[in-house]
Amino acid sequence: MTTSDIETITGRYVNCKIDGKMHRIYFEEAGRGEPIICLHTAGADTRQWQHILNDSEINGQYRLIAFDMPWHGKSSPPIGWETEEYNLTTSVYIETILAFKEALRLDKPIIAGCSMGGRIALQLALSHSDKFAGFIAIEASDFQPAWYDIDWFHRPDAHGGEMGAALVSANIAPQSPTEHKWLTQWMFMQSGPGVFRGDLTFYTKDDSLLKTITKIDTSNAPVHILVGEYDLTCTPENAKQTANKIKGATLKIMPNIGHFPMSENPDEFRPHFLEALQKMKC
Amino acid sequence: MNVYEALLKIQSSLLKKQYLLRLGRFFSAQVLIQIEEDKYFLTFEKGQITSIAVNPEIKMPWHFAFRTDELALNEFWQKMPKPGFHDIFGLVKIGRAEIDGDIILLIKNLRFFKEVLALARNKDE
């Protein structure tokens, strides 16, 4: 092994109090400059962002930080998890991001979130826009009811991760390189029991943004929405309708891409992300 | 290639895909594929398709059914299908297919079933 084989990304842990309980949060980062907090989708983890974090052009200008949400990836569930039903809520999700931002003492970072991470980016744009420099909301809309039964993914007689991966593969564009299609699904297969379902509770049942989305003020911090044309969960039409409700928001529909742009097709996503970063300077 | 020919291609291709036969080794079920008025009953035994009955005169039982139209199925079988046509649940989401019956059985074997149905996809186009 040579030093050139070692990736730029480094991983560490930070301990934060969230919803009254201590959490050991795993995060990865790369680069120096204006901070960007990168949020993964439901049922996955920071690895979705590995290609963006390792991109020398991007990490040469920005400090990219991705963290595993509690219960996800290498972040632990809280003490007592064994008797707890994991159900993510908007308030706990916002508290988690603010606690992480505070723990790392990040001054007005950009938020870049995908899927449920994109949804919470819009919630933060609504309620905490003064704390952030801008919002890149990927595969994001104000609400998506489930088009499947979320209870399929947590049952004792089957592997929720394998079933979840098989379902979300519907959201991966056929143009995506085979290697990346399967690594994207691998993350879902490794998800802890009930975690994908618990994320979907937030994503498919909390419709609170429907009533408030028009109140987002982009004069404080820009909002740019990205959506893949093969996304079946948050379709281009869903994202367009959401963007139209936010005065000043911008939208980009990405051809040949599905619901997991950063991991399913990193090369195809890269120019769209660079463009989104330019939008954050407006 | 008509639907029956495509299903025959799937049946023979499956025998050459050892990893799929391994994934489907616990899958033994009757599946109804309905394309408009035509009904195709696929019998799976331990991952292999052991028979394909077309519009049988007698009533046949099935565990789950996948129903769509021929145009949608042909688009699904293209090398690069259009958005929504690229996945069986995509077809359901865009209103071009229905899945009913024992959906949990399908979901437990979803990767296997999706990949089996995609074996007729035109890879050389």
Side-chain angles (χ1 to χ4, degrees):
Chain A
M1 187 175 74
T2 65
T3 52
S4 62
D5 295 324
I6 300 174
E7 295 183 13
T8 310
I9 295 172
T10 56
R12 298 180 73 183
Y13 289 88
V14 63
N15 293 278
C16 306
K17 196 172 210 178
I18 300 162
D19 197 24
K21 291 181 176 178
M22 287 308 296
H23 283 264
R24 186 169 185 251
I25 304 288
Y26 175 73
F27 67 99
E28 295 183 342
E29 66 172 300
R32 288 183 181 181
E34 186 178 359
I36 306 174
I37 296 178
C38 304
L39 304 172
H40 59 74
T41 70
D45 57 63
T46 58
R47 286 173 292 179
Q48 289 181 322
W49 285 96
Q50 69 187 70
H51 304 284
I52 291 290
L53 262 66
N54 271 328
D55 189 306
S56 59
E57 185 181 338
I58 302 172
N59 67 35
Q61 300 174 64
Y62 295 92
R63 181 184 175 196
L64 297 142
I65 309 151
F67 73 92
D68 290 343
M69 283 285 289
W71 300 77
H72 297 68
K74 291 203 278 189
S75 293
S76 305
I79 291 170
W81 68 270
E82 65 275 13
T83 58
E84 190 177 325
E85 181 183 1
Y86 169 68
N87 280 313
L88 185 62
T89 64
T90 299
S91 60
V92 168
Y93 202 171
I94 288 176
E95 187 185 343
T96 303
I97 295 164
L98 295 180
F100 180 79
K101 172 186 171 293
E102 191 65 25
L104 267 68
R105 296 180 178 82
L106 301 175
D107 182 31
K108 294 200 86 169
I110 293 167
I111 288 281
C114 186
S115 185
M116 73 170 193
R119 171 81 59 72
I120 209 68
L122 296 177
Q123 289 277 12
L124 288 167
L126 173 73
S127 56
H128 295 279
S129 64
D130 57 320
K131 299 181 179 71
F132 298 93
F135 302 92
I136 301 172
I138 306 160
E139 314 307 325
S141 60
D142 48 11
F143 181 56
Q144 291 300 323
W147 49 283
Y148 41 75
D149 183 349
I150 67 172
D151 286 335
W152 289 344
F153 307 113
H154 187 37
R155 41 186 302 134
D157 60 341
H159 190 290
E162 286 194 85
M163 294 191 295
L167 187 85
V168 302
S169 69
N171 277 318
I172 298 176
Q175 294 86 353
S176 298
T178 303
E179 166 194 352
H180 296 313
K181 275 183 193 172
W182 286 105
L183 282 176
T184 295
Q185 291 177 67
W186 182 249
M187 284 176 248
F188 284 86
M189 294 175 185
Q190 288 189 308
S191 183
V195 173
F196 186 37
R197 178 190 170 278
D199 288 339
L200 292 174
T201 303
F202 158 75
Y203 188 70
T204 65
K205 294 184 179 174
D206 182 338
D207 63 356
S208 59
L209 204 51
L210 284 174
K211 302 184 197 84
T212 52
I213 187 130
T214 56
K215 294 178 184 167
I216 291 176
D217 181 1
T218 58
S219 62
N220 289 328
V223 172
H224 184 59
I225 298 177
L226 293 164
V227 65
E229 69 167 347
Y230 277 88
D231 191 341
L232 293 170
T233 295
C234 171
T235 65
E237 191 55 35
N238 298 145
K240 193 175 172 184
Q241 286 170 2
T242 297
N244 286 341
K245 293 177 191 172
I246 306 170
K247 191 180 174 188
T250 49
L251 170 76
K252 182 67 177 285
I253 297 171
M254 302 179 286
N256 304 331
I257 287 181
H259 191 72
F260 311 99
M262 315 82 68
S263 64
E264 73 171 69
N265 201 337
D267 292 343
E268 198 79 20
F269 176 59
R270 186 177 185 275
H272 301 296
F273 191 69
L274 288 171
E275 183 186 44
L277 291 174
Q278 289 303 312
K279 298 275 184 191
M280 296 299 101
K281 293 174 180 167
C282 298
Chain B
M1 187 162 56
N2 62 32
V3 173
Y4 183 60
E5 288 168 343
L7 293 174
L8 288 176
K9 180 183 172 183
I10 287 171
Q11 184 182 31
S12 59
S13 300
L14 179 54
L15 292 174
K16 298 173 197 156
K17 299 277 185 189
Q18 282 305 312
Y19 83 94
L20 272 184
L21 292 173
R22 178 175 55 80
L23 283 175
R25 67 196 183 281
F26 297 116
F27 185 63
S28 295
Q30 297 261 73
V31 179
L32 167 60
I33 309 281
Q34 183 169 348
I35 313 301
E36 298 167 34
E37 300 303 312
D38 290 325
K39 293 178 179 178
Y40 305 86
F41 290 84
L42 275 59
T43 302
F44 286 85
E45 290 181 19
K46 296 181 180 174
Q48 291 188 27
I49 300 172
T50 53
S51 75
I52 302 172
V54 186
N55 294 323
E57 290 186 5
I58 56 166
K59 292 278 184 191
M60 288 186 73
W62 45 268
H63 291 91
F64 61 83
F66 174 68
R67 307 174 207 271
T68 186
D69 62 85
E70 192 162 357
L71 279 176
L73 191 60
N74 280 333
E75 182 59 32
F76 171 81
W77 279 331
Q78 295 306 305
K79 186 180 178 186
M80 289 294 166
K82 294 174 192 159
F85 292 87
H86 62 291
D87 184 275
I88 59 170
F89 273 95
L91 289 168
V92 173
K93 181 87 193 303
I94 64 172
R96 292 294 290 269
E98 289 180 6
I99 295 172
D100 53 291
D102 188 350
I103 292 178
I104 294 296
L105 176 65
L106 168 62
I107 296 299
K108 284 179 180 175
N109 295 278
L110 187 56
R111 180 186 164 190
F112 170 75
F113 187 74
K114 277 187 176 186
E115 291 198 37
V116 167
L117 212 57
L119 285 173
R121 190 159 276 162
N122 189 346
K123 293 185 169 60
D124 303 321
E125 253 185 4

